[in-house]
Amino acid sequence: MKWHKLLLMIAALAFIVGTFAEEIEIPDDIDDEDLDEDEEILRLLEENRIMEDLNRENQKAREEASKYKQQHGETAASDTGFIYDPCTKIHCQAGRICQVNDNSAECVCVPECPEEYDPRRKVCTNRNETWASDCEVHQQRCFCDTKDSRCRNPKNSHIHIDYYGQCKEIPRCNEEEMLDFPRRMREWLFHVMKELAERQELDRKLADKISHVESELNKKWARAAVWKFCDLDATHDQSVSRHELFPIRAPLLSLEHCIAPFLESCDLDRDHRITLKEWGKCLELEDGDLEGRCEGIIVKSSSKNNEV
């Protein structure tokens, strides 16, 4: 695809999602052989939204600090012994931490990552490079995004974690394995959901329903499918983006080579989002077996800790 067509596509997408605070800049060093063009367009739009969120978070922190200063004055901290921390009002993206300066706050790149010796902490990026930890990947991307001198390579602004573990050759999922994968995935999801219930890490209402459906294959599979879909839908918009699939894809790819093509196949209309209907069809479940509500589908522990 030529660059002028790429620019036209970005302009069209920008019009749909709204006016951005800053123009999207197309890096000159994008490697077309390494980056899928559609993925690159979406990544650029996603990065622009992240920067907008970051600027909005920083502005909110500054306003909170200014409001406190106006209400309590400069001597409030020394008089009361209470030191106001504007960072309590801000959440920074991965690879960034909140830093306070004169009662203001902003998200800056993590200055140092813990030194890791455990090989299980290693991660493989989309450029097939092994890094010591996810912290180092996010930190390096932040350095490159902010034009910090510690950026090792400008192309590192595009890196993301592909899967956990050292980089290795991932076998190709053959046709027979792919045909059997939905069944294995259904059983696996139910097994994990049941284990969470036994550890009392699943919402009680959902846990109580498990024993009632365990003998009914379609119902138990449907229950697990809806649970995982709702768990992945972090934005609660009734769809799961490729970014939201990370908690289920990254921990498994080095162990289960069919997970990536399976998840790719679930996006039936190729809009880079998976609906509950698409998810159910991908798992070979009947529409009538799926419940479209996510109320009560709450896992106390995070998706990362569940590693499914």
Side-chain angles (χ1 to χ4, degrees), residues 21-36:
E22 299 177 2
E23 279 189 18
I24 298 175
E25 296 182 0
I26 306 298
D28 295 330
D29 55 355
I30 291 179
D31 189 345
D32 291 327
E33 295 181 359
D34 290 341
L35 294 174
D36 177 77

Side-chain angles (χ1 to χ4, degrees), residues 115-208:
E115 192 169 355
E116 297 288 352
Y117 300 99
D118 190 340
R120 292 174 297 180
R121 297 288 297 172
K122 292 182 178 180
V123 294
C124 184
T125 70
N126 56 315
R127 293 192 175 276
N128 201 35
E129 297 172 338
T130 301
W131 292 67
S133 67
D134 54 355
C135 175
E136 288 193 2
V137 173
H138 294 140
Q139 180 198 53
Q140 180 62 198
R141 182 163 180 163
C142 181
F143 286 158
C144 297
D145 283 342
T146 57
K147 312 301 182 186
D148 191 288
S149 60
R150 288 167 289 185
C151 173
R152 303 176 192 173
N153 184 333
K155 290 185 177 182
N156 285 343
S157 62
H158 308 303
I159 62 173
H160 61 260
I161 298 171
D162 196 26
Y163 56 89
Y164 292 111
Q166 189 166 345
C167 291
K168 64 179 184 179
E169 184 177 354
I170 304 295
R172 184 174 180 177
C173 182
N174 62 45
E175 185 177 355
E176 185 178 349
E177 291 174 319
M178 193 65 174
L179 288 173
D180 187 51
F181 195 79
R183 178 195 61 80
R184 294 174 53 214
M185 190 73 172
R186 296 192 303 261
E187 289 286 358
W188 186 24
L189 290 178
F190 184 80
H191 173 75
V192 173
M193 187 174 71
K194 184 178 179 181
E195 184 176 326
L196 288 173
E198 292 173 352
R199 298 199 322 234
Q200 298 184 342
E201 294 179 2
L202 199 69
D203 179 82
R204 177 173 291 182
K205 291 182 180 179
L206 182 60
D208 290 341

Side-chain angles (χ1 to χ4, degrees), residues 196-237:
L196 288 173
E198 292 173 352
R199 298 199 322 234
Q200 298 184 342
E201 294 179 2
L202 199 69
D203 179 82
R204 177 173 291 182
K205 291 182 180 179
L206 182 60
D208 290 341
K209 294 178 181 180
I210 292 179
S211 59
H212 299 150
V213 301
E214 192 165 1
S215 60
E216 302 179 57
L217 294 181
N218 287 337
K219 286 188 177 181
K220 81 170 189 177
W221 288 337
R223 192 82 69 193
V226 174
W227 159 70
K228 196 59 206 176
F229 179 86
C230 297
D231 185 43
L232 292 170
D233 183 17
T235 56
H236 309 297
D237 61 356

Side-chain angles (χ1 to χ4, degrees), residues 48 62 69 77 88 100 120 133 161 169 181 211 219 222 225 254 260 282 304-305:
N48 199 79
R62 287 191 290 269
K69 187 175 179 180
T88 58
V100 179
R120 292 174 297 180
S133 67
I161 298 171
E169 184 177 354
F181 195 79
S211 59
K219 286 188 177 181
S254 63
C282 196
K304 183 177 179 182
N305 290 335

Side-chain angles (χ1 to χ4, degrees), residues 60-127:
K60 182 179 179 181
R62 287 191 290 269
E63 290 173 356
E64 289 289 339
S66 176
K67 185 188 301 183
Y68 182 86
K69 187 175 179 180
Q70 291 175 3
Q71 292 176 349
H72 300 279
E74 294 281 2
T75 60
S78 59
D79 291 346
T80 64
F82 171 72
I83 300 176
Y84 175 69
D85 182 5
C87 280
T88 58
K89 300 290 184 178
I90 188 171
H91 172 72
C92 298
Q93 303 292 333
R96 293 177 168 87
I97 59 171
C98 182
Q99 178 174 287
V100 179
N101 184 22
D102 295 331
N103 280 339
S104 66
E106 61 178 348
C107 290
V108 299
C109 298
V110 173
E112 292 184 5
C113 288
E115 192 169 355
E116 297 288 352
Y117 300 99
D118 190 340
R120 292 174 297 180
R121 297 288 297 172
K122 292 182 178 180
V123 294
C124 184
T125 70
N126 56 315
R127 293 192 175 276

